[in-house]
Amino acid sequence: MNNGPLNGAVVAVAGAAGPAGRAALLRLAEAGAVVVGSDADAERLASAVDAARYAHGGASVTGDTVDLLDLQATRDWADRIQKDFGRVDGVVHLVGGWRGSTSFPETDLADWDLLEKLLIKTVQHTSLAFHDALLRSDRGRFVLVSQSGAHKPTANNAAYNAGKAAAEAWTLALGDAFRKAGGEDGPQAAAAILVIKALVHDAMRAERPNAKFAGFTDVTELAEAIAGVWDKPAQEVNGQRLWLTPKP
């Protein structure tokens, strides 16, 4: 019987259909969590949910197709989870996207328009929608996955790096809200940022068998780090950047 901090916890995973999402669903289900994934791609989401259920028989893993660019739809999703399961103990934000350019002056601002939606709006909407529920939980966690370029922006990644930096700032503001709500006892919920250089998974290695992927974080390692945010007290992880790659 799993008696860890995630056993019985209700965790929402935004952007659950990609390789990182699949790994997170598996790891959270293995830890005994009730997992509710969302993604814009219904078919890939169903496949990810089925894989996690199959790997951990009896695990509660479900999927919702949610437009996280719509604040009301995101709020409705949060309300639905609370109605169905009575609580929300975590939100893992894995909605991603990347656009780059060959040089700084060749940056296409259409890339910014897209990345602002994927990297920032979805963080704003999920954090606002789930804030109250996470505060009510005895183990509420909001986990953002960020990238080291937010701390050392490069000329060809201006839009992407700026988007990640803004998402981090928003998440730290959420952490400050949790801190203030906790008063003298300290925060009871936590907003934490996991910082990576890039992700790698088995399919990438199969495509490029000679590539080194130096400094990359495997999606299974990321999933382990996500689960690990619940292993520490809220006071220790709230408002913290947890580096999975060397600081630039």
Side-chain angles (χ1 to χ4, degrees), residues 13 15-26 29 35 37-39 41-56 61-63:
V13 180
R22 291 177 78 97
L25 294 184
L26 282 165
V35 193
S38 80
D39 204 275
D41 188 323
E43 200 171 314
R44 287 176 71 210
L45 177 62
S47 167
V49 165
D50 285 349
R53 274 188 192 150
Y54 181 75
H56 303 290
V61 187
T62 53

Side-chain angles (χ1 to χ4, degrees), residues 151-220:
H151 304 269
K152 192 176 181 181
T154 57
N156 61 324
N157 275 319
Y160 178 74
N161 294 159
K164 283 293 191 185
E168 286 200 11
W170 187 274
T171 302
L172 294 174
L174 173 65
D176 191 50
F178 289 157
R179 180 186 65 79
K180 286 175 174 158
E184 290 181 6
D185 295 333
Q188 305 305 301
I193 299 166
L194 301 177
V195 188
I196 60 165
K197 174 184 172 183
L199 291 173
V200 63
H201 50 86
D202 289 345
M204 285 170 66
R205 292 194 184 89
E207 282 170 22
R208 298 167 58 196
N210 297 321
K212 293 277 193 288
F213 298 110
F216 284 42
T217 299
D218 192 280
V219 290
T220 57

Side-chain angles (χ1 to χ4, degrees), residues 35-107:
V35 193
V36 186
S38 80
D39 204 275
D41 188 323
E43 200 171 314
R44 287 176 71 210
L45 177 62
S47 167
V49 165
D50 285 349
R53 274 188 192 150
Y54 181 75
H56 303 290
S60 173
V61 187
T62 53
D64 276 331
T65 310
V66 182
D67 180 6
L68 297 175
L69 295 177
D70 181 327
L71 177 56
Q72 190 54 52
T74 311
R75 288 190 192 279
D76 291 345
W77 183 45
D79 290 344
R80 229 172 16 252
I81 296 173
Q82 290 172 87
K83 185 166 174 281
D84 290 349
F85 301 105
R87 56 190 293 140
V88 182
D89 302 296
V91 178
V92 179
H93 184 281
L94 295 172
V95 181
W98 177 83
R99 291 289 187 281
S101 58
T102 50
S103 69
F104 182 80
E106 288 174 290
T107 299

